[in-house]
C-alpha cells in the first residue's frame, strides 16, 4: 500500500470547507471522488486542516493510501481530469507510511485580506473583505504583536470542534499594506476554529478605537470571546504556507 501526498490549491467559495459532511459539498469529498475514479477503489483523504466554508487554500496538503500502481508523476494530471476548475492538484509525492498531512504538520500560515478603500473592487469579491473606512496599519500591527507567543486562545475561537487544549503558539502575525490591500499573515503551530478570523477582527477593533492593543493580553488571559473582536468574513482568508517535519519527511510549501 502506497502513501501519497498531494499538493493542491482551491477556491473555497463553492464549498462548505474541507471536511466531508453529510449534507454539504466539500473539498475533501470532491477530491475523494476524483481519486476513486483514478485509483479504482474508495479513497479517504487526510487533509492538513479543516478550512471553514468559503475559505481558500493557495497551498494545501492531503494524503491518501492506495494499491494503485499509477506513476506518482501522473497522479496530478489524472486527478485534474476529474476535478472542477476551482480545485487543482499541482504535485504528488510518495511518502513514508507514517506521514500524515495534519499530524506531521508543525506550522501553518493563513493570510487574511482586507480591501481597504472607499470604493469596492469587483476583482476582490470572494478574495478580500471590503472595508471602506481607512484602517491604520500601525495600530493593526501593534494589536497583532500582542498575539505572538504561546497563549490560551479561547477568547478568539468560535464554538465548534472540541479540542483537548486551547493553548497555541503564534510564531508571527504580520500586517502589510499594499496600496488598498491589507494583508494579515498569521503563522502558528495550530489554529482553533475561527481563530485567525477572530484575531484579525480583534486587530480591526483596535484600529477602530474599540479597544487598545495593550488590552489584548488581558482579553486572552480572561478567555471571554465577547471581549475580543468579531469573526471577520470567511472569503478573505486563505491558507498560504505549510511546514512539515516528522523525522523522516521535512519540507516547506508556499
Amino acid at each position: 500500500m502506497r502513501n501519497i501526498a498531494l499538493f493542491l490549491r482551491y477556491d473555497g467559495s463553492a464549498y462548505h470547507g474541507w471536511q466531508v459532511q453529510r449534507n454539504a459539498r466539500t473539498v475533501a469529498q470532491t477530491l475523494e471522488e476524483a481519486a476513486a475514479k483514478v485509483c479504482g477503489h474508495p479513497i479517504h483523504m487526510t487533509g492538513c486542516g479543516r478550512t471553514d466554508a468559503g475559505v481558500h487554500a493557495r497551498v494545501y496538503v492531503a494524503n491518501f493510501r492506495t494499491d494503485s500502481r499509477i506513476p506518482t508523476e501522473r497522479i496530478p494530471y489524472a486527478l485534474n481530469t476529474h476535478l472542477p476548475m476551482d480545485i487543482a492538484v499541482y504535485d504528488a509525492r510518495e511518502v513514508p507510511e507514517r506521514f500524515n498531512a495534519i499530524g506531521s504538520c508543525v506550522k501553518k500560515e493563513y493570510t487574511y485580506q482586507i480591501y481597504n478603500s472607499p470604493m469596492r473592487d469587483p476583482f476582490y469579491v470572494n478574495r478580500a473583505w471590503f472595508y471602506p473606512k481607512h484602517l491604520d496599519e500601525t495600530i493593526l500591527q501593534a494589536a497583532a504583536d500582542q498575539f505572538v507567543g504561546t497563549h490560551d486562545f479561547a477568547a478568539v475561537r468560535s464554538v465548534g470542534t472540541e479540542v483537548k487544549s486551547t493553548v497555541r503558539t503564534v510564531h508571527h502575525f504580520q500586517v502589510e499594506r499594499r496600496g488598498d490591500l491589507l494583508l494579515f499573515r498569521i503563522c502558528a503551530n495550530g489554529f482553533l476554529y475561527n481563530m485567525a478570523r477572530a484575531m484579525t477582527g480583534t486587530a480591526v477593533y483596535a484600529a477602530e478605537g474599540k479597544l487598545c492593543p495593550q488590552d489584548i493580553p488581558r482579553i486572552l488571559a480572561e478567555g471571554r470571546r465577547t471581549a475580543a473582536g468579531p469573526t471577520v468574513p470567511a472569503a478573505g482568508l486563505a491558507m498560504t504556507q505549510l511546514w512539515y517535519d516528522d523525522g523522516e519527511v521535512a519540507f516547506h510549501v508556499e
Side-chain angles (χ1 to χ4, degrees):
M1 190 71 73
R2 303 157 69 202
N3 190 11
I4 305 296
L6 299 178
F7 300 78
L8 58 143
R9 304 180 177 97
Y10 59 82
D11 179 328
S13 303
Y15 301 96
H16 204 74
W18 163 265
Q19 196 76 7
V20 172
Q21 298 182 38
R22 185 172 298 176
N23 299 311
R25 192 70 173 169
T26 67
V27 179
Q29 175 191 355
T30 306
L31 191 60
E32 287 178 353
E33 291 171 356
K37 293 175 182 176
V38 170
C39 296
H41 62 83
I43 294 292
H44 171 72
M45 291 282 173
T46 298
C48 62
R50 296 184 62 166
T51 57
D52 302 336
V55 173
H56 316 294
R58 295 177 191 163
V59 298
Y60 197 90
V61 175
N63 74 289
F64 69 98
R65 289 169 173 80
T66 182
D67 53 13
S68 168
R69 301 318 303 169
I70 180 173
T72 306
E73 66 272 15
R74 295 299 307 167
I75 291 175
Y77 300 98
L79 286 174
N80 288 337
T81 300
H82 299 285
L83 287 170
M85 295 298 290
D86 50 10
I87 303 174
V89 177
Y90 62 89
D91 194 11
R93 304 178 195 174
E94 190 162 348
V95 289
E97 172 62 26
R98 64 180 283 179
F99 179 85
N100 179 283
I102 189 166
S104 302
C105 188
V106 294
K107 290 194 297 184
K108 303 174 187 176
E109 182 193 77
Y110 282 93
T111 299
Y112 195 86
Q113 296 191 145
I114 295 179
Y115 188 69
N116 188 209
S117 169
M119 305 297 284
R120 67 181 182 272
D121 185 333
F123 287 97
Y124 284 107
V125 172
N126 294 329
R127 291 289 183 281
W129 177 29
F130 169 55
Y131 190 97
K133 183 180 176 182
H134 180 75
L135 292 169
D136 186 332
E137 58 268 32
T138 303
I139 299 175
L140 292 170
Q141 184 63 67
D145 289 341
Q146 308 304 312
F147 289 103
V148 176
T150 301
H151 309 285
D152 186 330
F153 286 93
V156 284
R157 68 173 293 214
S158 297
V159 176
T161 306
E162 291 299 316
V163 293
K164 293 180 181 178
S165 172
T166 52
V167 175
R168 297 290 187 273
T169 298
V170 171
H171 299 286
H172 66 244
F173 188 172
Q174 299 166 348
V175 180
E176 177 187 358
R177 178 178 286 279
R178 296 181 183 174
D180 291 328
L181 193 65
L182 284 166
L183 304 176
F184 298 72
R185 294 191 182 89
I186 309 170
C187 175
N189 64 346
F191 287 84
L192 302 168
Y193 183 47
N194 284 345
M195 175 176 155
R197 291 161 57 193
M199 288 169 65
T200 301
T202 303
V204 170
Y205 251 27
E208 292 175 333
K210 295 178 180 177
L211 56 84
C212 294
Q214 293 72 29
D215 292 334
I216 293 173
R218 174 184 54 79
I219 291 170
L220 292 176
E222 291 176 354
R224 292 186 298 110
R225 179 68 189 91
T226 54
T231 300
V232 293
L237 188 64
M239 185 176 285
T240 47
Q241 293 194 72
L242 296 165
W243 289 260
Y244 279 86
D245 188 357
D246 68 355
E248 292 187 54
V249 180
F251 60 84
H252 167 219
V253 288
E254 61 178 328

